[in-house]
Amino acid sequence: MITTANLVELYQIIDSQHGDPHHILGMHEMKLNGKNVLTVRAFIPQAEKITVRDLKDKNNVYEMNLIHEDGFFECIIQTRSELFKYVFDIEGHGSSWTIYDPYSFDVVLSELDLYLFGEGNHYEIYNKLGAHVTTIDGVSGVLFAVWAPNAKRVSVIGDFNSWDGRRNPMRILKNSGIWELFVPEIGAFEKYKFEIKANDGSLHKKSDPYANFAELRPDTASVVYDINQYQWNDEDYLKQRDVNATLDKPMNVYEVHLGSWKRGEDNRFLTYRELAKELVSYVKEMNYTHIELMPVEEHPFDGSWGYQVTGYFAPTSRYGQPEDFMFFVDECHKHNIGIILDWVPAHFPKDAHGLARFDGTALYEHADPKKGEHPDWGTYIFNYGRNEVKNFLIANAIFWIEKYHLDGLRVDAVASMLYLDYGKNEGGWIPNQYGGRENLEAVEFMKHMNSIIASKYPSALMIAEESTAWAGVSKPTKENGLGFNLKWNMGWMNDFLRYISKEPIHRKYHHNDLTFSMVYAYTENFVLVLSHDEVVHGKGAMINKMPGDLWQKFANARVAYGFMFSHPGKKLLFMGSEFGQFAEWNEAKSLDWHLLQYEHHTNLHQYMKELNNLYVENEILWNNDFNSNGFEWIDCDDNEKSLVSFMRKSTTTDDFLIVLCNFTPTTYTGYRIGVPIDGEYEEIFNSDSQKYGGSGIVNEAIMVAEEKEWNHRELSIGIDVPPLGISIIKPVRKPTVNNI
């Protein structure tokens, strides 16, 4: 059969390797024998007969000729020369159907979109790439776009085309590396992937890097989903957050893995909406201010806990749909609970459907394994020097704040990003251009990201999990810092857990582990953390780190948490630690909530509820966490008794609290400490109270300051210090009576 099509292009379409199918398929104006005519071409392998029908005049129909038996059709319309809107009426295999021609629609992405993405500055690229339900020329459908610059051909495949990569090849837009195709008359919940033919001829069926939803694992297809339909109800919360969200606010974070906080019947996951009721209610009751979620971005393997992400723009389908997760966030904000999401820009897994070797080449990662792989984790490292990769990550951070109203991101494994030799042996890494071990491209990426978020979302918290002595992690970028708001205090965590796990009789030899944190406490904006990483891989649950018999274990836990909550810095505690779960955390099952039928666990649970409340309600304990004027040692040298005492002070008034922590099971009666002012003092909190399961060594009577010099102060008081306990006291402020 004679055709006007270029035969090379025709066979490229049939062989599924054409890089610009719109050039040959669809309707085109052309000259034939000196006359202006139209030609329409289609490649539909399932079709036996195709008719072109004019949408404005149903009487104008044009039967197409089968040019190639594989399904290439063409018709030449010699009676018309101007393009018109049309549909295909198709017959084949005993069925008939009508479709709009995907190759009759113009390019959607603008040159500005392509330019900004190429420069790494398209911060809302998630609105362009991926799959978006839209209407073009009055026709509803889905616009697909994906970045795959080194591919020979990219097709979108799904149920709508029988997963046949020949059916819907995409066109590449100029020199951007972005492929685009509008598929009419499909919509939300269509499953799809991108079929990529690499230059070496290999085929790769990839999930969409920008997908908003995914199939439930173990299936790996992306799912079309319109995330812009949810009606948010947190406007008042966001306004208040924008005005008042500063670092001088209480922040005691409950770290949660959604899949194992609590399970339903038959060990099933709770849904986002069930968690919106149960988890939010629990967090509110326990007086936490924030929930930090271990990663909820889509991931294939439950055992990775979400830290090996394949769907950066999709909340995992394990617990429901994107709108269900939005509802969960909405409910948190309704109860004035902030939401922080663990975010993983340091590495990604090698799963075949994910980002790995996306277009047949090292696209998101480095090709050289010395730069591009984490040998310990078996994952790839992002190429932070590539503009489009930086854009992907920065836009993703913005996406969660913008589209899901999150209050902040905790950035995982920052140390692994900062150092080129992280987790690598000698000879297994490549130095930077100056011969150093610093990853200069990653540093610039983090500064860029944090500066943009600080500008666009000044109320959003960016928190670094960074375990080294890198200077200025939480300093602004204009001061040559990395620009994070907060940094996890891994030094405090390691020192304190090493200290608290020792038998009390030995603690006096390790007193420095208890006090050293105050040497560097104000070098960064720190969060004190006892996180999930400390209760897995044989490290033991928090309660099992505590030495002694059952009573001593729980007493140790109470004084440990009390010290943590009175120490400068924001707070984070992993789920289960608040009621003394004995078993190491296991992501495959629920926390051991049944333990709350036993007194020790119930008492600790009540203690943490009241400790949280004490913390939140006492401004002194949080409004000056990063100001050295807010803390003062009373006695940090009493290693023989393993006892420390200090003041937390207001920076705006003369208010203060005095904290004493005893890390031995010995009771000290009439223990003397220096105080700054004359007058009376009262105890407002004591971990040894019998209601918490303690021995009842409390100070019910008012303590009066005496003119006895102690701890380099002219005044002092005597106090009964409880065994393995914390006591918090404050001056009694008597009301002033005006003389009339």
Side-chain angles (χ1 to χ4, degrees), residues 358-376:
F358 188 77
D359 61 1
T361 68
L363 187 61
Y364 287 87
E365 68 274 33
H366 294 276
D368 189 332
K370 290 184 178 181
K371 293 186 71 174
E373 295 191 30
H374 276 303
D376 290 343

Side-chain angles (χ1 to χ4, degrees), residues 489-553:
N489 195 336
M490 311 297 280
W492 173 87
M493 179 271 295
N494 285 314
D495 289 348
F496 186 62
L497 289 182
R498 183 170 57 247
Y499 177 85
I500 201 69
S501 64
K502 295 187 183 302
E503 292 288 343
I505 195 172
H506 300 306
R507 286 174 178 167
K508 63 182 178 181
Y509 304 111
H510 304 275
H511 198 69
N512 190 57
D513 284 340
L514 188 64
T515 60
F516 181 68
S517 58
M518 289 311 302
V519 173
Y520 61 87
Y522 303 108
T523 59
E524 300 278 2
N525 297 336
F526 282 120
V527 184
L528 306 186
V529 294
L530 295 174
S531 74
H532 68 276
D533 278 328
E534 311 319 315
V535 294
V536 289
H537 301 321
K539 296 177 183 178
M542 199 60 61
I543 195 67
N544 269 335
K545 297 181 191 298
M546 308 299 166
D549 59 22
L550 192 62
W551 186 92
Q552 289 189 350
K553 283 182 179 294

Side-chain angles (χ1 to χ4, degrees), residues 69-139:
E69 61 184 4
D70 284 354
F72 193 96
F73 291 78
E74 181 185 40
C75 76
I76 301 170
I77 306 174
Q78 301 199 35
T79 57
R80 305 180 69 169
S81 59
E82 294 185 1
L83 302 177
F84 60 90
K85 294 183 179 180
Y86 63 96
V87 293
F88 289 142
D89 293 324
I90 305 171
E91 297 178 14
H93 302 287
S95 301
S96 61
W97 64 98
T98 298
I99 64 168
Y100 286 89
D101 182 4
Y103 301 96
S104 66
F105 295 89
D106 289 334
V107 172
V108 176
L109 269 67
S110 69
E111 291 191 11
L112 180 60
D113 289 326
L114 307 183
Y115 172 78
L116 290 175
F117 181 63
E119 291 294 305
N121 299 323
H122 200 318
Y123 304 122
E124 296 181 355
I125 192 62
Y126 50 80
N127 289 326
K128 303 295 182 176
L129 298 186
H132 299 280
V133 178
T134 188
T135 299
I136 300 177
D137 296 335
V139 180

Side-chain angles (χ1 to χ4, degrees), residues 597-622:
Q597 65 184 301
Y598 302 111
E599 186 176 16
H600 283 292
H601 301 277
T602 302
N603 289 337
L604 179 60
H605 195 239
Q606 182 66 23
Y607 173 77
M608 287 307 302
K609 179 179 179 179
E610 295 188 20
L611 178 62
N612 280 331
N613 185 66
L614 174 81
Y615 166 78
V616 171
E617 293 297 322
N618 280 272
E619 182 181 7
I620 295 171
L621 293 176
W622 44 257

Side-chain angles (χ1 to χ4, degrees), residues 188-379:
F189 299 104
E190 287 281 0
K191 293 182 289 186
Y192 71 100
K193 282 188 177 182
F194 294 115
E195 184 179 275
I196 297 173
K197 179 171 284 189
N199 277 316
D200 63 4
S202 59
L203 278 180
H204 307 266
K205 295 183 179 181
K206 293 290 190 176
S207 300
D208 179 2
Y210 289 83
N212 294 137
F213 193 35
E215 283 188 293
L216 180 63
R217 54 93 179 95
D219 295 322
T220 57
S222 300
V223 180
V224 177
Y225 197 97
D226 187 352
I227 62 171
N228 298 309
Q229 300 304 307
Y230 182 77
Q231 298 298 310
W232 287 93
N233 300 291
D234 61 350
E235 182 178 0
D236 290 342
Y237 174 89
L238 296 181
K239 286 181 179 178
Q240 169 269 333
R241 181 184 70 175
D242 288 342
V243 173
N244 298 317
T246 70
L247 297 178
D248 293 328
K249 294 293 176 184
M251 187 175 178
N252 56 333
V253 184
Y254 188 56
E255 188 190 18
V256 173
H257 177 263
L258 289 180
S260 58
W261 178 73
K262 187 179 289 187
R263 292 287 182 99
E265 62 278 3
D266 300 322
N267 202 37
R268 70 168 178 84
F269 293 131
L270 296 185
T271 66
Y272 291 121
R273 289 184 180 265
E274 289 173 322
L275 289 160
K277 179 181 179 182
E278 295 197 35
L279 176 57
V280 172
S281 175
Y282 177 78
V283 167
K284 188 69 174 177
E285 176 191 355
M286 292 297 294
N287 300 306
Y288 291 100
T289 62
H290 293 73
I291 299 172
E292 180 173 316
L293 299 178
M294 292 170 68
V296 300
E297 298 100 324
E298 194 56 77
H299 53 282
F301 177 48
D302 291 358
S304 79
W305 311 334
Y307 289 101
Q308 296 199 7
V309 179
T310 52
Y312 274 81
F313 290 83
T316 178
S317 56
R318 286 167 174 80
Y319 319 123
Q321 298 179 17
E323 283 197 0
D324 299 326
F325 183 56
M326 291 176 175
F327 179 82
F328 172 80
V329 176
D330 222 357
E331 282 295 296
C332 288
H333 289 171
K334 176 181 177 181
H335 292 87
N336 205 36
I337 297 168
I339 290 292
I340 298 164
L341 178 66
D342 273 15
W343 184 60
V344 193
H347 64 123
F348 58 91
K350 297 181 178 180
D351 296 71
H353 68 281
L355 296 177
R357 301 300 192 261
F358 188 77
D359 61 1
T361 68
L363 187 61
Y364 287 87
E365 68 274 33
H366 294 276
D368 189 332
K370 290 184 178 181
K371 293 186 71 174
E373 295 191 30
H374 276 303
D376 290 343
W377 300 341
T379 54

Side-chain angles (χ1 to χ4, degrees), residues 117-190:
F117 181 63
E119 291 294 305
N121 299 323
H122 200 318
Y123 304 122
E124 296 181 355
I125 192 62
Y126 50 80
N127 289 326
K128 303 295 182 176
L129 298 186
H132 299 280
V133 178
T134 188
T135 299
I136 300 177
D137 296 335
V139 180
S140 64
V142 177
L143 178 66
F144 296 95
V146 64
W147 179 58
N150 303 308
K152 180 181 289 186
R153 183 266 299 168
V154 179
S155 295
V156 58
I157 55 175
D159 290 336
F160 51 88
N161 60 17
S162 302
W163 300 90
D164 186 343
R166 300 172 300 168
R167 285 285 306 277
N168 290 123
M170 308 171 77
R171 64 175 153 206
I172 192 166
L173 304 181
K174 292 193 172 181
N175 297 316
S176 67
I178 293 176
W179 302 71
E180 178 194 87
L181 182 68
F182 176 68
V183 179
E185 297 189 297
I186 64 171
F189 299 104
E190 287 281 0

